Amino acid sequence: MLLSAVAGVALLLSFPSYSLWWLAPIGVAASALAVHRRRPRTGALFGFITGVVFFAPLLSWTSTHVGPWPWVLLVGLQAAYFALQGLALAVVSPVVDRWRWSRPLVVGVLWVGQEALRGRTPFGGFPWGRLAFSQADAPTLRLAVLGGAPLVTFAVAVTGGLLLLALTRPAVSAKPMRRWVGAATLALGAVALTVIGYAVPLSTPSGPTVTVAIVQGNVPRMGLDFNAQRRAVLDNHVTATEELAADVASGKQPKPDLVIWPENSSDIDPLRNADAADAIDRAARAIGVPILVGAVLIGQQEGQVYNVGLVWESGQGVTARYTKQHPVPFAEYMPLRKWIEPIAKIVTDKAGLLRSDFQPGDASGVLKMGPATVGDVICFEIAYDGLVRDTVTDGAGLLVVQTNNATFNVDEARQQLAMVRLRAVEHGRESLMSSTVGISGFVDASGRVHQASGFFTRDVEVRQLHEGSGTTPATRLAYWPELVLSLAAVALLAGAVVLRRRSRG
């Protein structure tokens, strides 16, 4: 039980804001060792403990303004998938005991399978806390260009399996010299798998250069009530853009080709409110280039709203738009509202704030903005492999993440930026994250961050980016690495069940 808790702590410390990425495989190894040769129900219990210790602090930002119970329920749900993983690792113990060399691969495929399931269920899943997202500063990040987040997770989990095999091998070897040589060889294999990323060539965007400005307007104060001050938020972004235009005119800043505002930069529907439209158009007229505005639009039917990115050009208004495809359940819409809403109101007194349901879009966020073609993903969508990939395969030369972190804290923003870094490497696209309050910044195709803003500050950053046009192996392979590894996990479990029954017989 203690080892399970240690595993959760190691996993937590590998993620931002701690970013001790090398602890991730140690956490994997400790978790696998804790459940080995246990009964399935004991394995499930120990896996659940690891999950709670890991997810409770990792997701603590979800309780910032809605109270503790939604956070407790989310942590419990995510930890339940770790319980399934602990059960699975306990079930496959006979396989590992019979073919010891298979242990790293077994741990790897089961971890990928767990993340694949957790990232899709329920209500579209919640992929936060994937092993791959802990590796933004690690050489293993570069493996994303070959097989995306699933391959990075697999490599980290296999590394943990190699460490575990190195630790346990001396107990079964006959001669002392062979024991230590074998353990050292396995440990060196773990190190080699970690640093092999340095040998992986990355995709370098070679398309046209465009100058992009990020405007982080900030909000009047932190909290869910920022929506009640939505005009002040819009004015902040308009004013910051006008100040940028003045700096361009004076030569302090280069003239951008396009400007990116964050999610919720206009919670007043500019298509229904003339004052909001005039304010945005004034900013677009001042800077003289298209602005990507994060807006909330009111639907035709009562109770329907849309979270969108609008390309706004001076004198023309909206010339293109992207509607968020994956609204967040319980934050942007209430699943099964008739049955769940009464329960939600018991869980948190903030449930009544969710009076309208955000409607999902049905197309990728590929938008033409002046000389550039950007791929827009909104907030948590950056965690979902397919949504990001679709923008690249549909022609995006740059990746843009519009987000609103005003109701969270800096840890959530850092965790989200780590995902942007992985996506930039995965698809060979220079990227950026634009937030209302921070962190905003640019990310090159090697995953390095440039000109990151502070948290809860007003900031404007301008940088030249290169558009990408080719596709990486990860982009071309799409979901196949995850599918193959997940199917291997299912086959392994089925074989282990058969083996356990035969051994009992």
Side-chain angles (χ1 to χ4, degrees):
M1 189 175 295
L2 179 60
L3 191 58
S4 299
V6 168
V9 171
L11 291 170
L12 171 68
L13 294 178
S14 69
F15 280 77
S17 295
Y18 310 100
S19 299
L20 303 176
W21 58 265
W22 47 271
L23 283 175
I26 294 176
V28 170
S31 176
L33 181 59
V35 302
H36 185 57
R37 294 177 182 167
R38 303 290 180 182
R39 293 180 179 179
R41 63 186 180 187
T42 306
L45 172 62
F46 288 174
F48 187 78
I49 291 171
T50 299
V52 169
V53 173
F54 171 48
F55 283 113
L58 184 80
L59 303 178
S60 60
W61 45 265
T62 60
S63 67
T64 305
H65 297 287
V66 296
W69 285 111
W71 164 66
V72 168
L73 292 174
L74 178 61
V75 169
L77 175 62
Q78 299 306 299
Y81 290 92
F82 272 44
L84 290 175
Q85 179 175 271
L87 182 151
L89 284 166
V91 168
V92 301
S93 294
V95 175
V96 171
D97 287 337
R98 179 171 293 191
W99 297 285
R100 292 181 56 80
W101 58 266
S102 70
R103 192 168 205 170
L105 298 175
V106 167
V107 173
V109 298
L110 289 180
W111 207 285
V112 172
Q114 173 264 126
E115 290 188 351
L117 183 63
R118 186 166 61 85
R120 290 169 173 80
T121 59
F123 309 118
F126 187 64
W128 222 268
R130 296 167 75 179
L131 284 181
F133 297 152
S134 70
Q135 300 296 292
D137 294 313
T140 42
L141 178 72
R142 298 169 68 98
L143 298 176
V145 76
L146 301 177
L151 181 60
V152 178
T153 286
F154 181 69
V156 174
V158 169
T159 301
L162 286 169
L163 292 176
L164 181 54
L165 197 55
L167 179 67
T168 58
R169 185 177 178 82
V172 297
S173 298
K175 298 180 180 180
M177 182 58 69
R178 288 189 61 187
R179 286 203 310 247
W180 297 112
V181 169
T185 301
L186 290 165
L188 286 173
V191 173
L193 185 56
T194 299
V195 302
I196 197 173
Y198 287 128
V200 176
L202 299 181
S203 176
T204 302
S206 57
T209 299
V210 293
T211 303
V212 184
I214 298 173
V215 173
Q216 178 179 301
N218 207 1
V219 303
R221 64 177 180 267
M222 192 173 182
L224 284 174
D225 62 345
F226 80 93
N227 283 310
Q229 306 166 64
R230 55 193 182 274
R231 182 56 198 244
V233 176
L234 173 58
D235 288 343
N236 282 355
H237 287 85
V238 170
T239 301
T241 305
E242 290 175 329
E243 291 173 354
L244 170 62
D247 287 343
V248 170
S250 66
K252 293 180 181 179
Q253 288 277 24
K255 183 176 177 61
D257 296 306
L258 58 149
V259 175
I260 308 297
W261 288 6
E263 178 189 27
N264 296 122
S265 48
S266 178
D267 276 339
I268 305 172
D269 185 344
L271 304 186
R272 291 175 177 261
N273 186 290
D275 288 343
D278 289 343
I280 296 171
D281 201 66
R282 187 173 72 246
R285 189 165 56 251
I287 195 64
V289 298
I291 301 175
L292 181 59
V293 180
V296 174
L297 302 184
I298 300 172
Q300 296 296 323
Q301 299 182 21
E302 184 178 355
Q304 291 186 345
V305 288
Y306 298 87
N307 190 348
V308 301
L310 302 176
V311 178
W312 195 287
E313 298 192 39
S314 173
Q316 300 181 57
V318 177
T319 58
R321 76 174 65 183
Y322 166 63
T323 302
K324 187 176 184 180
Q325 299 175 78
H326 197 294
V328 180
F330 305 105
E332 293 181 307
Y333 77 99
M334 186 72 71
L336 307 173
R337 180 178 286 272
K338 179 180 178 181
W339 294 276
I340 292 181
E341 186 172 37
I343 301 173
K345 288 181 177 179
I346 297 174
V347 172
T348 173
D349 58 2
K350 300 296 191 297
L353 295 175
L354 192 59
R355 294 185 291 270
S356 301
D357 290 327
F358 281 85
Q359 304 300 304
D362 57 4
S364 67
V366 178
L367 304 170
K368 185 68 176 176
M369 296 188 66
T373 303
V374 306
D376 187 22
V377 293
I378 298 178
C379 201
F380 285 12
E381 289 187 323
I382 191 64
Y384 296 87
D385 298 348
L387 293 179
V388 181
R389 178 183 175 271
D390 286 348
T391 67
V392 176
T393 56
D394 287 345
L398 303 172
L399 290 179
V400 170
V401 181
Q402 294 180 290
T403 187
N404 175 19
N405 309 116
T407 55
F408 303 127
N409 61 27
V410 70
D411 291 329
E412 185 273 345
R414 289 170 178 159
Q415 292 165 19
Q416 196 169 31
L417 184 60
M419 300 178 197
V420 180
R421 296 173 67 182
L422 182 140
R423 300 306 182 193
V425 173
E426 180 180 9
H427 299 294
R429 293 294 188 273
E430 296 199 330
S431 308
L432 65 89
M433 186 164 87
S434 177
S435 169
T436 47
V437 299
I439 301 170
S440 302
F442 300 96
V443 180
D444 64 30
S446 69
R448 289 191 298 267
V449 179
H450 302 272
Q451 298 170 234
S453 68
F455 199 68
F456 269 90
T457 60
R458 177 183 291 188
D459 200 357
V460 174
E461 297 291 344
V462 182
R463 186 176 179 84
Q464 284 190 337
L465 301 179
H466 293 273
E467 287 197 85
S469 56
T471 56
T472 65
T475 309
R476 294 190 294 272
L477 286 171
Y479 54 81
W480 282 104
E482 185 176 53
L483 178 61
V484 170
L485 292 170
S486 297
L487 289 176
V490 173
L492 172 65
L493 279 171
V497 170
V498 172
L499 184 61
R500 289 172 70 94
R501 288 180 176 176
R502 286 180 178 177
S503 62
R504 289 176 182 175

